[in-house]
Each structure stands twice: as C-alpha cells, then as structure tokens.
C-alpha cells in the first residue's frame, strides 16, 4: 500500500512539474529565505537566467529592480514575523528586471504553496509589455480622434461664424439700402423715421425708439418699434418720464453724441430711474 501511495504521489508531482514547465507564464518558486527554489522554462526565456543560474540565489537580486528591493524584503519579513500580507493572492502590476538590467511591465500573482513550514511561495509572472503598448496606442488613437473631432468642430464653428457674419453684413447693407431709398423717396420725415425704425426690427435690434427735439427744445417721442407689441406699450408709458425714459437717452439728446451701453446692469437702470415705478417698468422691459 505504501509503495502504491508513493508511486501515486510521484506521478502527481511529475504531472505538476510538467504543467509548470509547459506554462506560458513564468512560474518561480521561492523559499522563506527569499532564495529561488525553481525557475520554469518561461521564466528562463523571459528573464535571461537558466534554472541552474537562478536556483539558490536571492529572488530580489535577480528579477526585482533596485528601487523595489527594500519593499520586497520588508514584505517577506513582515509575513514571516506577523503573518500580515499585502500581496498574497492578488494580481499586481509592477516592474520586473531581466538579467541585462532592463525592466519591463509585469503582472504578478504570489501565493503560498500549501501549508508547508517553513513557507514556500510561488510567483506567477506575465510580461505585459504588449498590453501596455496596445493601451498606449489605443490612448494615442483616442487622443488623435478627439483632436481631429475638435479640429473639425472648430472648423465648423468658424464656418458658421463666417456665415453669420456674412448674413449680418448682408442685412446691414439691405437696411442701409432701404433707409437710403426711403429717405430719397419721401419728404415726410416722421413717416420715413417710422419706416426706418420698424425696418431695424428684428434683424438689427429688439427695440428701436426715435425721439426728436422740437424747436422749443422739448424732446418728442416719435417712433417706438419692438419685437414684442406688448412692450411697445410699455415703452410708450416710460416715455411719459421725458428724456430719461431709457438709460443713456438723456445724455445722447443733450450732447448730440452717441452713447454705447454694452451691458445694462441693475445699477444703470436704478441710476436712470426717476422713481420706483419708473425702475419697475425699466426692469419689466427686459433690456
């Protein structure tokens, strides 16, 4: 019975050894002292050591880059003294080192072999250089695609801006042509100014109000044109406040110089208002 059991054990060990030897991944066995016990064919091909060269030598000196050796030794000592581990049975990605000193990205899994005492460890190492290169290539292709899309979008926006600019210029010229024709064809300045104000809506403005100065110096509201008819009534109500009915209007009427207000803030509206009701209506106008 004992002979048969020993034979079965020997066959099992032979099968295990054959599987390890034929494995595509590197399989490296290390003792509790950190020395290499076994080194399969894949490890020989990957790291550049023969099994004979590797056996009995410190694993850290063979395949661990110098910058990681202290952590490797500290981890082994911690496990032997406390049983605490941070890497056993986990898949890690780190650098490994070949016999010629070059390094490469590797995937590593370390496991303890059975319950042997002192412990024996098996490390499974896979060269993932190809995977990393593929990831970098994929990332570069993605960046290139994003850059190309951004360039395409920028070109589209430039075309749209150019088209918009051309359309605005076309409308401006059409408006000026209309104004010139209207002023040349009519001696009724009031009707002409009303036509001009309404022609500006909505292509050039949301609101156009024309005020003239009477011979006695009084301002007289002549035309109000707004894209929203309801707000035309609101502007007419505001005109009851005289030349201060809109911010900037009083200065323009007084000096004869144009006044450009690029942004109508609450402070500007409040400064132009003559009372709270005036301010409320100015805000309701939505300038």
């Amino acid at each position: 019975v004992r002979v048969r059991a020993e034979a079965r054990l020997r066959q099992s060990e032979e099968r295990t050894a054959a599987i390890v030897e034929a494995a595509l991944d590197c399989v490296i066995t290390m003792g509790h002292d950190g020395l290499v016990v076994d080194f399969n064919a894949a490890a020989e091909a990957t790291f550049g050591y023969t099994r004979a060269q590797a056996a009995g030598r410190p694993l850290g000196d063979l395949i661990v880059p110098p910058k990681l050796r202290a952590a490797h030794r500290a981890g082994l000592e911690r496990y032997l003294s406390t049983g605490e581990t941070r890497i056993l049975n986990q898949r890690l990605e780190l650098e490994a080192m070949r016999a010629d000193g070059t390094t490469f990205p590797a995937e590593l899994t370390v496991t303890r072999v059975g319950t042997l005492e002192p412990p024996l460890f098996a490390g499974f190492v896979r060269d993932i250089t190809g995977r990393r290169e593929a990831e970098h290539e994929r990332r570069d292709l993605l960046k290139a695609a994003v850059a190309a899309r951004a360039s395409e979008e920028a070109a589209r926006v430039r075309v749209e801006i150019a088209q918009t600019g051309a359309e605005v210029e076309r409308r401006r010229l059409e408006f000026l042509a209309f104004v010139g024709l209207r002023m040349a064809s009519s001696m009724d300045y009031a009707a002409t100014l009303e036509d001009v104000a309404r022609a500006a809506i909505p292509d050039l403005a949301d609101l156009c109000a024309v005020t003239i100065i009477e011979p006695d110096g009084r301002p007289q509201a002549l035309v109000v044109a707004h894209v929203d008819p309801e707000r035309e009534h609101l502007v007419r109500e505001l005109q009851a406040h005289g030349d201060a009915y809109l911010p900037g209007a009083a200065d323009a009427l007084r000096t004869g110089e144009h006044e450009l207000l690029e942004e109508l803030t609450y402070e500007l509206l409040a400064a132009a208002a003559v009372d709270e009701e005036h301010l409320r209506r100015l805000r309701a106008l939505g300038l």
Side-chain angles (χ1 to χ4, degrees), residues 248-259:
D251 291 339
L253 288 170
R254 184 179 65 256
T255 65
E257 300 293 334
H258 78 271
E259 182 85 7

Side-chain angles (χ1 to χ4, degrees), residues 180-201:
L181 181 62
R182 187 69 183 85
M183 293 180 71
S185 62
S186 174
M187 297 300 292
D188 184 345
Y189 76 90
T192 298
L193 288 176
E194 181 162 1
D195 288 346
V196 169
R198 297 204 176 277
I201 307 300

Side-chain angles (χ1 to χ4, degrees), residues 82 85 89 122 132 188 225 232 241:
T82 67
T85 177
N89 304 314
R132 287 284 180 84
D188 184 345
E232 281 192 18
H241 291 280

Side-chain angles (χ1 to χ4, degrees), residues 129-142:
T129 300
R131 183 203 303 173
R132 287 284 180 84
E133 289 175 348
E135 289 173 352
H136 290 158
E137 183 178 1
R138 186 163 55 248
R139 191 156 49 242
D140 290 343
L141 288 173
L142 180 60

Side-chain angles (χ1 to χ4, degrees), residues 74-129:
L76 178 59
E77 292 174 3
R78 182 171 56 251
Y79 179 76
L80 294 175
S81 60
T82 67
E84 178 189 351
T85 177
R86 297 175 184 172
I87 69 168
L88 282 187
N89 304 314
Q90 305 215 26
R91 184 173 295 178
L92 308 172
E93 290 188 7
L94 39 69
E95 282 189 346
M97 185 180 71
R98 299 185 180 89
D100 62 4
T102 59
T103 59
F104 62 94
E107 185 178 86
L108 167 68
T109 301
V110 179
T111 185
R112 179 171 175 171
V113 180
T115 57
L116 296 174
E117 289 294 347
L120 186 67
F121 305 94
F124 303 88
V125 183
R126 176 177 297 175
D127 184 346
I128 58 173
T129 300

